[in-house]
């Protein structure tokens, strides 16, 4: 069913629950997040009234109220006295929220959301590479060199290669001592790392090329070259994503 068909049917469309969830409020919240992102309930319109939601989803008023409260916390709705529960514009949505980000990526055929995620990651990791080049100890450099050397041998083992890939980036982030930036990157990646759209192409040649980028980052960090390390990280993240995303959509925003 398309979003327009869902919108026509409104809240009467039953949820796609295989079995009744143990936590109804969270399940209802996830269902409503998906419908808002898909445009079933467009920005500037009201959610169905409380009785309608209760009837459509077979839940109590308490469950509906808790779900609406969670939607408010995610920035998707605003409760207005006398005007009902209004759906807010996407600019107010909390894109770091797991449900909001997941639903947005699912509906984003242009890959614009993932492009923005990569741009954000690139900005933060480039800065962390800059700082890591200033602060990296011999132990950190040994760890990075070991990971890069091991990845050269793991280009035919995609799963293990990716584990080492994440460990390499995390070692850089830890070395920067920027816990906030690291937490943001880990949160963003944790929500998309297993999605087909983010993983993209994974051929052996791409792993080889990717690890060349890792080695350039390592060399600049080992040389204690902050600007060089930042530039190497910027180029590595950009090039790796452009290859993984293929020819889909318009990657122009990545050139910023």
């Amino acid at each position: 069913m398309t979003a327009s068909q869902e919108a026509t049917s409104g809240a009467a469309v039953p949820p796609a629950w295989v079995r009744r969830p143990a936590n109804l409020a969270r399940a209802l919240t996830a269902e409503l997040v998906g419908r808002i992102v898909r445009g079933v309930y467009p920005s500037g319109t009201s959610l169905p009234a409380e009785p309608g939601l209760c009837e459509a989803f077979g839940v109590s008023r308490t469950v509906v109220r808790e779900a609406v409260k969670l939607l408010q916390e995610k920035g998707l709705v605003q409760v207005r006295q006398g005007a009902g529960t209004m759906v807010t514009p996407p600019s107010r949505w909390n894109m770091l929220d797991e449900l909001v980000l997941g639903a947005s990526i699912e509906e984003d055929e242009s890959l614009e959301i993932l492009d923005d995620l990569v741009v954000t990651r690139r900005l933060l990791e480039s800065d962390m590479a800059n700082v890591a080049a200033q602060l990296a100890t011999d132990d950190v450099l040994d760890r990075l060199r070991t990971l890069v050397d091991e990845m050269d041998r793991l280009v035919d083992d995609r799963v293990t290669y990716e584990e080492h890939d994440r460990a390499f980036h995390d070692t850089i982030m830890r070395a920067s001592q920027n816990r906030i930036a690291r937490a943001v990157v880990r949160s963003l990646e944790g929500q998309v790392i297993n999605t087909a759209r983010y993983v993209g192409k994974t051929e052996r040649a791409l792993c080889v090329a990717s690890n060349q980028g890792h080695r350039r980052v390592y060399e600049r960090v080992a040389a204690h070259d902050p600007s060089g390390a930042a530039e190497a990280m910027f180029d590595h993240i950009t090039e790796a994503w452009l290859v993984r995303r293929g020819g889909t959509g318009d990657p122009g925003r990545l050139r910023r």
Side-chain angles (χ1 to χ4, degrees):
M1 179 176 289
T2 65
S4 60
Q5 289 172 323
E6 285 185 88
T8 301
S9 300
V13 180
W17 296 335
V18 176
R19 64 180 65 181
R20 192 169 177 82
N23 191 320
L24 286 172
R26 291 188 180 278
L28 178 56
T29 302
E31 185 74 25
L32 293 175
V33 166
R35 295 188 185 201
I36 289 171
V37 171
R38 292 197 302 274
V40 177
Y41 307 132
S43 299
T45 65
S46 298
L47 283 184
E50 194 174 273
L53 290 173
C54 291
E55 180 180 357
F57 293 97
V59 296
S60 68
R61 286 177 178 265
T62 300
V63 169
V64 169
R65 289 169 186 169
E66 185 175 347
V68 169
K69 181 180 179 181
L70 291 171
L71 291 176
Q72 280 185 282
E73 293 173 356
K74 299 174 189 300
L76 271 69
V77 301
Q78 181 178 13
V79 178
R80 296 179 179 175
Q81 194 68 28
T85 302
M86 306 296 295
V87 178
T88 58
S91 60
R92 297 183 61 178
W93 299 354
N94 177 10
M95 295 304 294
L96 292 180
D97 179 86
E98 180 178 2
L99 291 177
V100 178
L101 180 59
S104 298
I105 290 172
E106 185 69 24
E107 293 302 308
D108 180 30
E109 294 297 332
S110 69
L111 298 185
E112 181 177 313
I113 299 295
L114 284 176
D115 284 345
D116 284 347
L117 184 151
V118 171
V119 167
T120 302
R121 177 191 165 199
R122 181 179 67 184
L123 177 67
L124 293 174
E125 288 203 50
S126 295
D127 184 75
M128 284 188 278
N130 179 299
V131 178
Q134 302 173 55
L135 302 180
T137 63
D138 289 343
D139 287 344
V140 168
L141 296 179
D142 287 345
R143 172 67 169 156
L144 292 174
R145 183 178 62 252
T146 298
L147 286 167
V148 170
D149 289 344
E150 288 178 350
M151 281 188 280
D152 275 340
R153 296 190 292 270
L154 291 169
V155 291
D156 292 310
D157 182 352
R158 183 179 64 84
V159 173
T160 308
Y161 177 91
E162 289 176 356
E163 291 172 354
H164 282 61
D165 187 339
R166 291 192 291 273
F168 177 88
H169 285 271
D170 197 50
T171 300
I172 297 281
M173 292 191 288
R174 285 179 179 274
S176 77
Q177 301 179 19
N178 189 333
R179 293 182 295 168
I180 300 297
R182 175 174 176 261
V184 172
V185 171
R186 285 171 60 86
S187 174
L188 290 173
E189 279 237 299
Q191 295 173 41
V192 299
I193 197 66
N194 293 317
T195 63
R197 285 183 174 181
Y198 185 73
V199 173
K201 299 179 179 179
T202 57
E203 290 90 342
R204 181 184 192 278
L206 303 183
C207 291
V208 172
S210 173
N211 205 39
Q212 291 173 350
H214 292 141
R215 191 169 292 280
R216 286 192 292 270
V217 173
Y218 158 69
E219 289 172 349
R220 291 301 87 211
V221 172
H224 298 288
D225 174 8
S227 61
E231 182 178 359
M233 183 65 80
F234 184 101
D235 291 344
H236 164 60
I237 291 176
T238 302
E239 291 165 5
W241 171 237
L242 287 173
V243 169
R244 294 203 311 276
R245 84 194 296 285
T248 306
D250 177 14
R253 62 202 302 109
L254 294 170
R255 303 300 186 185
R256 289 180 290 186

